[in-house]
């Protein structure tokens, strides 16, 4: 049986193929945008998994440490560690900032999340769970472990505030919820970096303190020095990561901490809800809007090209009707052309998305399920887009084959 759609496609194959490529690029962009959204969710899940925590203890009435600011005294972990069901409690700080590679020919800044980890050794909550090169931090100062997405290498010197750190280890897929690579440094260094002031601000603060009669009393000579010393140190952390003992549930351990320590405690499910449904909710809505717009544009392109191809063969359609061809056969021909255009477009789009995804600065996760759903969506869009051309073709008068 001769395929009328195939013969017609071969007759105008150039226009058909180039239209399919253009449609494929739009489909590729749509698949990449879906992958960006999946990547954002995966970044959030990776952040929770890599922390190694069962509970996150943060400042009361805050959503910290990933969603907003949270400050706890760095000795808070002692009381939490003594609570029933707590296997371990570790301080941690998070600070998103520009980290400079200081030993390159041209200084290079990288947006990164600087993580201050407690000196409890590898395997503790907050520490990178594995390395791809080098070793873990073994000194209390001036060593760092960086994610390979930062572009740093072993032996690089990093400038974080005033201090310099040597990269002694590299890890993989240790990122913030925004996709920024993590750089791990000792907790004390991170505490200093988080609230470090410039020299001028320190001098002004000391002058104001010295001029305050409440702190500079003649009868108490050591008071001023003690106040100044307290102002130049940071005794705060952003959160305490808690691991629970076997046989306990997260809610059983969290309840007494909330009650007796007057702190906010999040379980993994609650922290996941904050990251996915609050932090990236706006971004997901924007991505959804763009995908809807791209779907409409794709449908318009398919409808236009199928309509144009149909208009170009009005006389041929009239001849088909004149010789007795059924309307169903003509409609099937146009529908097959639209679906073929969708197949070409999806193939081009899938190949484009696969090769373009690694080039994006943010992690793009292309899920097979999204590709399958995208394929069926493209087919439906192409089928609906052909309706206009089909209606126009069915209205063609067979007499046009004679009078044209």
């Amino acid at each position: 049986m001769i395929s009328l759609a195939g013969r017609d496609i071969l007759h105008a194959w150039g226009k058909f193929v180039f239209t399919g490529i253009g449609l494929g690029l739009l489909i590729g962009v749509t698949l990449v945008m879906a992958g960006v959204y999946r990547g954002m969710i995966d970044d959030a899940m990776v952040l929770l998994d890599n922390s190694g925590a069962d509970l996150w203890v943060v400042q009361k009435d805050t959503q910290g440490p990933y969603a907003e600011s949270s400050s706890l005294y760095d000795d808070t972990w002692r009381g939490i560690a003594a609570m029933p069901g707590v296997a371990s409690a570790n301080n941690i700080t998070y600070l998103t900032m520009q980290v400079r590679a200081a030993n390159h020919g041209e200084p290079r800044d990288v947006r990164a999340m600087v993580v201050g980890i407690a000196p409890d050794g590898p395997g503790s909550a907050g520490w990178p769970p594995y390395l791809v090169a080098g070793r873990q931090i073994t000194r209390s100062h001036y060593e760092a472990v960086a994610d390979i997405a930062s572009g740093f290498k072993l032996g690089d010197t990093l400038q974080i505030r005033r201090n310099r750190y040597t990269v002694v280890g590299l890890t993989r897929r240790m990122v913030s919820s925004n996709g920024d690579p993590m750089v791990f440094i000792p907790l004390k260094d991170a505490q200093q970096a988080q609230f470090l002031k410039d020299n001028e601000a320190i001098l002004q603060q000391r002058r104001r303190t010295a001029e305050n009669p409440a702190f500079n009393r003649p009868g108490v000579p050591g008071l001023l020095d003690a106040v100044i010393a307290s102002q130049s140190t940071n005794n705060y952390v952003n959160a305490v990561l808690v691991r629970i003992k076997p046989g306990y549930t997260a809610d059983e351990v969290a309840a007494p901490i909330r009650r007796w320590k007057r702190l906010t405690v999040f379980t993994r499910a609650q922290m996941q809800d904050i990251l996915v449904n609050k932090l990236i909710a706006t971004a997901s809505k924007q991505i959804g809007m763009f995908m809807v717009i791209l779907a409409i544009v794709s449908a318009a392109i398919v409808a236009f090209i199928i309509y144009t191809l149909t208009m170009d063969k009005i006389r041929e359609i009239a001849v088909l009707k004149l010789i007795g061809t059924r309307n169903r056969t003509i409609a099937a021909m146009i529908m097959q052309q639209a679906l073929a255009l969708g197949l070409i477009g999806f193939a081009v789009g899938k190949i484009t998305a696969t090769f373009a995804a690694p080039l994006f600065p943010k992690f793009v996760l292309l899920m097979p399920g999204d590709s399958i759903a995208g394929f069926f969506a493209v087919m439906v869009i192409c089928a609906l887009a052909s309706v206009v051309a089909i209606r126009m073709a069915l209205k063609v008068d067979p007499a046009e084959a004679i009078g044209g």
Side-chain angles (χ1 to χ4, degrees), residues 119 127 135-143 185-186 189:
W127 281 66
R135 60 174 175 81
Q136 295 277 13
I137 295 172
T138 57
R139 299 180 181 178
S140 57
H141 296 286
Y142 313 129
E143 288 188 343
I185 63 175
D189 289 347

Side-chain angles (χ1 to χ4, degrees), residues 56-59 64-65 70-72 90-94 236-241:
W56 286 258
V57 181
V58 299
Q59 181 181 341
S70 167
S71 294
L72 301 173
N90 301 91
N91 288 331
I92 197 163
T93 65
Y94 297 102
Y236 294 93
V237 295
N238 298 127
V240 177
L241 304 181

